[in-house]
Amino acid sequence: MESGELKIFQAVAREGSITKAAQALNYVQSNVTTRIQQLEAELKTPLFRRSNRGMTLTPAGKNLLEYADRILSLLDEAEKSARYSEHPSGPLRIGSIETAAVTHLTPLLKTYCLQYPDVQLSLRLGRRTA
């Protein structure tokens, strides 16, 4: 079982149709059909109930979808982690009460911004509530 197959399976499960999944993935319909059939053959169990109205998950398909969601999420997280750089970039939002921002954060944030110019810093000030 490969991540590509899981992505296709996930799309068909979400869309409820091979045609809609193929459109969402920008694949040809026959490729999606073949990959789903191969996955079902590999697992030796049907993952979908097919009808005129589309496709619904079997109990085995529901179980696989839970794993597919977790696996694909972890793969996405791993990919993002691999792109990690020692030089941060992107948005950084910080919230603080005014007193702490003025007395403590201002010098720290000034140094941080000079050291990491690719970070788009935004500071939101709030009031302390009792």
Side-chain angles (χ1 to χ4, degrees):
M1 192 177 328
E2 297 180 13
S3 63
E5 290 174 324
L6 290 178
K7 286 178 184 176
I8 291 170
F9 166 75
Q10 186 184 54
V12 174
R14 299 268 185 260
E15 297 293 336
S17 155
I18 286 186
T19 303
K20 290 178 183 176
Q23 290 171 345
L25 295 168
N26 206 20
Y27 290 171
V28 294
Q29 184 176 342
S30 60
N31 185 28
V32 174
T33 300
T34 300
R35 299 287 291 274
I36 292 295
Q37 289 171 344
Q38 288 172 343
L39 184 59
E40 289 177 322
E42 180 182 341
L43 296 174
K44 297 180 176 86
T45 188
L47 300 171
F48 294 97
R49 287 189 191 95
R50 291 146 173 91
S51 72
N52 295 349
R53 295 187 209 158
M55 300 174 70
T56 57
L57 289 170
T58 62
K62 289 178 185 177
N63 288 337
L64 182 60
L65 182 60
E66 288 182 30
Y67 283 100
D69 288 343
R70 289 191 295 194
I71 290 167
L72 293 172
S73 177
L74 282 171
L75 285 172
D76 185 51
E77 187 178 318
E79 184 180 321
K80 289 176 183 173
S81 175
R83 284 192 242 133
Y84 171 76
S85 168
E86 294 202 20
H87 300 287
S89 64
L92 173 62
R93 296 182 194 103
I94 298 176
S96 175
I97 60 172
E98 292 178 37
T99 309
V102 171
T103 58
H104 302 292
L105 286 179
T106 302
L108 292 171
L109 294 178
K110 180 179 178 183
T111 303
Y112 185 87
C113 287
L114 290 172
Q115 190 173 0
Y116 302 110
D118 294 331
V119 173
Q120 295 87 42
L121 179 70
S122 63
L123 176 63
R124 184 173 185 145
L125 300 177
R127 295 188 180 171
R128 189 178 201 165
T129 59

